[in-house]
Amino acid sequence: MTDYQRVTDHPRIGIRPIIDGRRLGVRESLEEQTMRMAESVAKLYTENLRYPDGAPVEVVIADSTIGRLPEAQACARKFREQNVGLVLSVTPCWAYGTETIDIDRTIPQAIWGFNGTERPGAVYLAAALAGHTQLGIPAFGIYGEQVQDSDDASIPDDVRGRLLEYATAGLAVAQLKGKSYLSIGGVSMGIAGCVVKEEFWQYYLGMRNEYIDEVELERRIKLGIYDEEEYEKAYAWVRENLQQGEDFNPEEFQRSGEEHEDWWPYVTKLVLIGRDLMVGNPKLAEKGFEEEAVGHGALASGFQGQRQWTDYLPNGDLMETILNTSFDWNGPRAPYIQATENDNLNAASMLLNHLLTNQAQIFSDVRTFWSAEAVERVTGYKLEGRGEGGFIDLRNSGATTLDGTFAAKDADGKPCIKPWWELTEEDQKAMVEATTFHPANTGYFRGGGFSTHFRSEGDVPVTMTRINWVDGLGPVMQLAEGYTIELPDEVAKTIELRTDPGWPSTWFVPTLTGKGAFTSVYEVMNSWGANHGAISYGHIGHLVITLASMLRIPVNMHNVAEDRIFRPKNWKAFGTMDLESADYRACATLGPLYH
């Protein structure tokens, strides 16, 4: 499969150079400095940001500086024509606030006011942001801490950081718009997160909802609605590279080797079909299946599986594992976001994390809090170091991305998850070798199939997130930054055997702050809003908070230091002491981005 099947339209960043409109000397003296600011930010963005398909981010600069309303209108027309999905205004000077701001309410807005004393860029920033606040159009204010000289073309580090944070989150908003979430099946085992709240997807994310029955998978297998040539390649790769592990079922419930051999072709076809359902496949049209070839335009999907499917047919664990992984039989490629059990709220959490990082995401059950006392009682082992206060067992019921092994290594040799375009052959080999695929637990999956098992490497920085829907309130975001830990082999085996040794193991210790939900590891799990979580490599909590503010989703639980938090300036008008309450008030007052 090639990238042209991807659902991506490269929304651009629009840069608006704002200038003092007074002619006969003032405006003319500022033209060069103002355009230089715009060009320096454009260079920063194109050199540092990429779309999920690996292409550099595209930037559009207004045709002229903007000093009066007609120039703002001309810029708005150009941005509409050029697929601009977020806007940054830059200025070194005073200008006419409400005449020059962008008033599009449906895309993120930010202003960088140059901190210089020759011309009052900070005065314009304050006036323009006040205009945004009065109009009810949130905008982020960016203002360097140190005074610069007027001929200083550099971008200070603090400004650089805010510019990149804003654009990273804003691009995520822009890439969601108009895409879809595909539900393959319905609600799994009464899990609330599987209930699709269309008002969430459409009003808050600007996305559509698509639905198909699980029987469509079986139909496509029976009728050969997949690329048979690619299937042969995929099946050969699967059998050559994926290690079948021990059957942990009681002997009386174990299936024969012949049945295992029958499962492998079936579950491999599910991978191809799950992908084709999301993004389409032109090869299907060549076989006469033109309708099926177009797919569902989905940025994310979910597979119900349990129980109607898995009571009867081989499970979708291989499909979920491989689709969420940054490579397959065709080599490295962007991961497809697919949620276990059609938990669409966890899929949304994974999707937001993915668009912020361009990295694969781990889907996990937030399964068990293991205290140090419980570990010592059960295994005889005393937890030390990061784990001395206990840990949370993140073990999904059979599937998650192979990137979650953290077997890939960064430039310093540390375990990580990379954007797909940075993956080496050694990274891919290491992930596969760290993983075994076990005949499924037939107590849960009567139809068989294979589940994915690995143990995540330890001391890796991660962020766990989750969107929950609250009746009367709407969506809320919670997140916890922390680290993975490792356990000695015998300790790990003992703990895995108490749940399922054929499932992926990630042991997580959140960073404690002594406040709110972060007084203990137990309290973090006790405060978690659902049975699933989306786990991203790195400490990205500040980016998640920025993105949530753009989407008007309040954050009800986080452990991010205040100096890392970046929200629109008008959030301060809702309170500066209790920032969590102010966030709730701001989101409630402004309402969903698309409603």
Side-chain angles (χ1 to χ4, degrees):
M1 193 194 70
T2 55
D3 260 348
Y4 61 75
Q5 293 168 265
R6 285 287 178 183
V7 183
T8 179
D9 52 9
H10 288 189
R12 296 179 170 96
I13 303 174
I15 300 182
R16 308 170 71 254
I18 307 297
I19 201 166
D20 190 325
R22 288 173 284 203
R23 299 282 185 176
L24 301 178
V26 176
R27 179 167 182 162
E28 291 82 356
S29 70
L30 293 164
E31 288 282 355
E32 182 180 348
Q33 183 185 8
T34 304
M35 289 304 293
R36 189 174 64 214
M37 282 184 71
E39 291 162 357
S40 66
V41 178
K43 184 173 186 288
L44 174 72
Y45 285 159
T46 56
E47 289 181 351
N48 289 275
L49 299 176
R50 294 200 192 191
Y51 298 108
D53 64 6
V57 162
E58 299 169 18
V59 177
V60 177
I61 300 177
D63 290 334
S64 70
T65 55
I66 300 168
R68 300 302 299 267
L69 180 58
E71 292 157 338
Q73 292 170 327
C75 176
R77 285 193 296 271
K78 178 177 182 177
F79 284 4
R80 285 194 297 270
E81 294 166 358
Q82 293 290 320
N83 191 32
V84 166
L86 63 153
V87 167
L88 171 73
S89 299
V90 300
T91 188
C93 60
W94 166 254
Y96 307 148
T98 55
E99 290 188 27
T100 57
I101 62 173
D102 189 303
I103 61 169
D104 190 334
R105 298 170 180 272
T106 64
I107 61 177
Q109 304 278 350
I111 303 172
W112 172 26
F114 184 79
N115 186 359
T117 56
E118 290 85 354
R119 299 283 184 177
V123 179
Y124 172 78
L125 179 64
L129 290 173
H132 273 284
T133 298
Q134 282 190 217
L135 293 169
I137 305 172
F140 291 78
I142 301 172
Y143 179 60
E145 186 174 346
Q146 302 300 327
V147 173
Q148 293 179 260
D149 298 329
S150 62
D151 60 354
D152 184 352
S154 67
I155 302 178
D157 287 344
D158 58 341
V159 172
R160 183 180 187 276
R162 291 307 195 200
L163 288 170
L164 290 172
E165 289 166 7
Y166 164 73
T168 299
L171 282 166
V173 172
Q175 290 175 96
L176 293 166
K177 192 173 183 179
K179 311 308 187 301
S180 82
Y181 174 79
L182 172 63
S183 294
I184 305 174
V187 176
S188 174
M189 302 182 295
I191 297 172
C194 308
V195 178
V196 174
K197 294 285 187 180
E198 291 194 343
E199 56 267 47
F200 165 65
W201 289 94
Q202 296 177 23
Y203 298 164
Y204 287 88
L205 305 186
M207 294 178 66
R208 306 164 73 104
N209 293 98
E210 290 279 288
Y211 305 89
I212 60 169
D213 195 278
E214 291 173 301
V215 74
E216 176 64 7
L217 299 173
E218 175 76 350
R219 184 182 79 92
R220 292 194 181 204
I221 288 177
K222 293 292 187 184
L223 300 183
I225 308 176
Y226 52 87
D227 181 349
E228 291 174 351
E229 183 178 344
E230 186 182 9
Y231 162 69
E232 294 298 334
K233 180 180 180 181
Y235 182 68
W237 180 87
V238 164
R239 298 315 310 271
E240 181 179 347
N241 291 277
L242 305 188
Q243 309 168 64
Q244 182 171 327
E246 180 182 351
D247 188 340
F248 292 112
N249 285 288
E251 188 173 348
E252 64 271 22
F253 294 117
Q254 291 183 5
R255 307 293 175 80
S256 67
E258 289 79 7
E259 285 183 274
H260 296 166
E261 290 302 314
D262 289 340
W263 293 343
W264 280 115
Y266 194 93
V267 296
T268 302
K269 291 172 186 175
L270 287 180
V271 183
L272 277 72
I273 292 169
R275 179 203 65 196
D276 293 349
L277 284 166
M278 290 179 67
V279 300
N281 187 342
K283 290 287 186 179
L284 303 185
E286 297 175 12
K287 299 182 66 176
F289 299 105
E290 294 186 5
E291 184 177 357
E292 292 85 348
V294 300
H296 289 266
L299 270 185
S301 68
F303 175 59
Q304 176 193 335
Q306 297 187 73
R307 285 184 44 202
Q308 286 77 10
W309 179 275
T310 55
D311 276 6
Y312 177 58
L313 293 165
N315 64 22
D317 287 6
L318 187 72
M319 174 174 63
E320 295 166 20
T321 293
I322 299 300
L323 289 184
N324 281 300
T325 295
S326 299
F327 64 93
D328 59 21
W329 46 87
N330 291 317
R333 47 93 177 130
Y336 300 86
I337 302 301
Q338 186 174 77
T340 300
E341 295 159 355
N342 196 29
D343 183 347
N344 70 102
L345 291 178
N346 215 56
S349 308
M350 294 169 70
L351 179 57
L352 298 186
N353 291 350
H354 168 63
L355 292 175
L356 290 172
T357 64
N358 290 331
Q359 296 165 357
Q361 301 298 312
I362 301 170
F363 183 111
S364 281
D365 282 359
V366 183
R367 184 168 290 273
T368 310
F369 166 68
W370 278 93
S371 67
E373 294 78 10
V375 171
E376 188 168 12
R377 177 181 63 80
V378 170
T379 71
Y381 178 73
K382 186 176 180 61
L383 292 172
E384 298 177 344
R386 290 194 193 278
E388 64 182 0
F391 62 86
I392 298 173
D393 185 344
L394 303 177
R395 183 190 315 280
N396 193 31
S397 52
T400 200
T401 174
L402 297 182
D403 297 77
T405 60
F406 300 113
K409 298 296 185 288
D410 65 16
D412 297 321
K414 295 181 179 179
C416 66
I417 293 178
K418 297 178 178 179
W420 67 268
W421 58 84
E422 294 181 6
L423 280 184
T424 66
E425 289 187 11
E426 290 75 17
D427 291 329
Q428 297 168 63
K429 182 180 179 182
M431 290 185 221
V432 169
E433 290 182 348
T435 309
T436 46
F437 294 83
H438 298 265
N441 183 326
T442 53
Y444 295 120
F445 307 112
R446 298 173 189 172
F450 297 96
S451 293
T452 306
H453 176 258
F454 58 74
R455 294 178 191 157
S456 298
E457 293 202 31
D459 205 33
V460 179
V462 295
T463 303
M464 182 167 72
T465 71
R466 171 74 188 189
I467 296 170
N468 296 300
W469 185 272
V470 181
D471 184 46
L473 176 63
V476 296
M477 171 71 77
Q478 55 185 172
L479 67 94
E481 294 183 339
Y483 292 85
T484 62
I485 64 169
E486 291 184 39
L487 301 172
D489 184 58
E490 288 305 313
V491 177
K493 284 181 179 177
T494 300
I495 289 174
E496 288 173 338
L497 283 166
R498 291 177 71 99
T499 307
D500 193 300
W503 296 348
S505 298
T506 303
W507 294 302
F508 171 60
V509 178
T511 299
L512 303 180
T513 64
K515 299 178 181 179
F518 293 91
T519 55
S520 68
V521 179
Y522 169 82
E523 192 56 34
V524 172
M525 178 160 175
N526 192 44
S527 301
W528 204 248
N531 55 309
H532 292 147
I535 294 85
S536 187
Y537 168 70
H539 288 160
I540 64 165
H542 61 302
L543 294 174
V544 174
I545 291 171
T546 297
L547 176 55
S549 70
M550 291 179 177
L551 298 172
R552 321 287 199 262
I553 300 174
V555 181
N556 71 306
M557 170 180 163
H558 73 81
N559 57 348
V560 178
E562 286 189 13
D563 62 355
R564 294 172 59 206
I565 296 174
F566 189 35
R567 288 182 170 120
K569 178 66 178 292
N570 65 334
W571 256 240
K572 293 183 182 296
F574 292 90
T576 57
M577 292 292 288
D578 184 348
L579 298 185
E580 185 174 286
S581 295
D583 183 31
Y584 271 79
R585 288 190 291 272
C587 291
T589 301
L590 292 163
L593 185 58
Y594 301 104
H595 187 53

